Amino acid sequence: MAAPSCGAPGVWIRGTGPRSGSLFTLVSKAFCSTAAATSPLNAQRLAERLRAQQREQETKKPEPTNPIQRRVQELVRFTGQLQRVHPNVLAKALSRGILHQDKDLVVISKPYGLPVHGGPGVQLCFSDVLPILAKILNGHKAEPLHLCHRLDKETTGVMVLAWEKDVAHQVQEMFRTRQVTKKYWAVTVRVPMPSAGVVDIPILEKEVQGQKQHHKMTLSPSYRMDSGKMVKVRTNRSAHVAVTQYKVLSSTLSSALVELQPVTGVKHQLRVHLSFGLDCPVLGDHKYSDWNRLAPQKLPVGILKKLGLKQSKARHIPLHLHARQLMLPALGSRKEELHLVCRLPRFFAHSLHRLGLEMPNQDQNGDFEAGHLRAQ
């Protein structure tokens, strides 16, 4: 391979695959232009030029004509933008999604794709913006807000914060002692049978052996079948009691809108009970749709056709799990129960429409973006 024909020092870029040529061309052009300039570019200016050229190339990509594919592309961009946005901008967006505010609590709608806590690869999380959000809501001298519970990164819906640490501890204790009633909505692949019931199967975390070793939550049943008879087995000490009530709100031959009420609060409980207990994984759950693999969810042809997607694009489908309702007992000076309802994000409502699933009447206008939801 020959070096670029310019006066700049030789820069060698090695790569494989069809994209390596374009990458070489992009970088070699930048260095050639550097040599031709009367004054050398410093590293920062060169990096800015490279980023500008990359953005220009991205804008030239044709927009998909299918509205669902456009929506999937928007969600992919939205999730990436959440990790690049300035904390002040994110806090301002969250402040527009306030569901309830009083002297003790602030309740907001959590957007899709925003992690609650930091971790490997997380550049920005919900916890990072709590001090800024407090100042937006209560002035520059406001103390940071405190988390009362958590939601998974991909889960949308009701999120409770407290102004004071002791109030946050009180609410956390309500969650721990199961005084808080929580209701979630999920779109499932296939229809749970029976249409209403209780899943009471303990859950534990296990390592999955395979090409990529990883950990998942899974079921740890207390009974097994032996020669046609149900036999009680010894309980695994690592297993957690997990109980979920569920009810099908609407269904077609291949999908359903399900209301879920977790009685306990085990990690990934709803996703595990739906996928491994009822054989009806949540739409967009790329972790628990298959026990042995970490791979994009394999969807029936009927669902793909209704969504207007190919299986190769299924990896972009977001998790359709929404924290719909929360009922908090009386707290402090508030003597009555606090009933909070969070409307659906737009992608969730659009999927319901495409799949032919009906919403209860009060949600027919559930066309609000995640991060811009409000209580009904």
Side-chain angles (χ1 to χ4, degrees), residues 22-320:
S22 61
L23 177 63
F24 177 86
T25 303
L26 175 64
V27 177
S28 63
K29 283 182 179 178
F31 277 95
C32 288
S33 61
T34 302
T38 55
S39 60
L41 287 174
N42 59 28
Q44 182 178 356
R45 290 174 62 192
L46 180 59
E48 289 174 354
R49 178 170 293 184
L50 287 172
R51 284 196 290 267
Q53 290 179 354
Q54 186 178 4
R55 285 195 297 269
E56 184 179 350
Q57 285 188 345
E58 289 176 351
T59 56
K60 292 179 180 178
K61 292 180 181 178
E63 285 287 327
T65 56
N66 185 291
I68 296 299
Q69 291 179 343
R70 284 202 302 269
R71 185 61 188 148
V72 168
Q73 195 172 82
E74 288 173 12
L75 282 165
V76 173
R77 286 199 298 262
F78 175 65
T79 306
Q81 289 166 0
L82 280 173
Q83 291 300 303
R84 295 191 297 268
V85 72
H86 192 280
N88 290 356
V89 177
L90 179 58
K92 187 69 176 176
L94 292 173
S95 70
R96 293 195 294 265
I98 299 294
L99 303 176
H100 171 83
Q101 182 178 349
D102 58 34
K103 69 181 188 67
D104 294 316
L105 302 175
V106 174
V107 185
I108 70 166
S109 57
K110 178 190 168 298
Y112 171 81
L114 180 65
V116 173
H117 298 290
V122 176
Q123 299 174 12
L124 181 65
C125 65
F126 196 83
S127 301
D128 293 339
V129 301
L130 292 183
I132 306 170
L133 181 60
K135 287 177 170 59
I136 290 174
L137 298 178
N138 214 23
H140 291 291
K141 294 184 179 181
E143 293 295 322
L145 287 157
H146 302 275
L147 289 166
C148 296
H149 63 117
R150 66 180 301 275
L151 291 174
D152 291 340
K153 174 183 174 181
E154 297 86 0
T155 303
T156 59
V158 183
M159 191 86 190
V160 182
L161 311 170
W163 287 110
E164 303 291 340
K165 186 174 288 187
D166 59 339
V167 176
H169 289 160
Q170 291 180 51
V171 178
Q172 289 165 4
E173 184 65 13
M174 290 177 180
F175 275 93
R176 191 187 69 80
T177 55
R178 305 172 189 173
Q179 298 179 54
V180 179
T181 301
K182 299 170 287 183
K183 290 185 179 180
Y184 292 73
W185 280 9
V187 176
T188 62
V189 179
R190 296 182 290 276
V191 183
M193 293 294 291
S195 59
V198 177
V199 182
D200 184 356
I201 307 176
I203 291 175
L204 56 74
E205 189 170 22
K206 276 188 176 181
E207 184 177 1
V208 180
Q209 302 295 330
Q211 293 181 343
K212 287 186 177 180
Q213 289 191 345
H214 57 282
H215 288 80
K216 286 184 182 180
M217 307 302 287
T218 189
L219 300 178
S220 178
S222 302
Y223 296 86
R224 63 178 176 86
M225 296 300 294
D226 186 4
S227 301
K229 295 182 180 180
M230 190 174 292
V231 180
K232 187 173 177 61
V233 297
R234 181 180 296 179
T235 303
N236 190 308
R237 292 184 179 180
S238 301
H240 302 276
V241 174
V243 182
T244 303
Q245 298 178 10
Y246 74 91
K247 177 175 64 175
V248 175
L249 300 178
S250 177
S251 65
T252 64
L253 291 176
S254 58
S255 60
L257 172 63
V258 183
E259 183 179 82
L260 303 154
Q261 186 173 335
V263 179
T264 55
V266 181
K267 177 182 176 182
H268 296 169
Q269 172 181 319
L270 300 179
R271 296 162 67 182
V272 172
H273 274 172
L274 282 171
S275 185
F276 301 146
L278 294 170
D279 192 29
C280 297
V282 179
L283 179 64
D285 193 344
H286 307 292
K287 181 170 185 174
Y288 288 105
S289 292
D290 189 310
W291 165 252
N292 296 306
R293 301 186 303 156
L294 278 176
Q297 187 178 42
K298 184 72 174 176
L299 292 172
V301 175
I303 288 182
L304 289 171
K305 187 175 180 179
K306 288 181 178 179
L307 293 178
L309 294 174
K310 296 180 180 179
Q311 178 59 45
S312 61
K313 301 297 183 183
R315 67 185 184 277
H316 297 309
I317 298 176
L319 183 74
H320 285 61

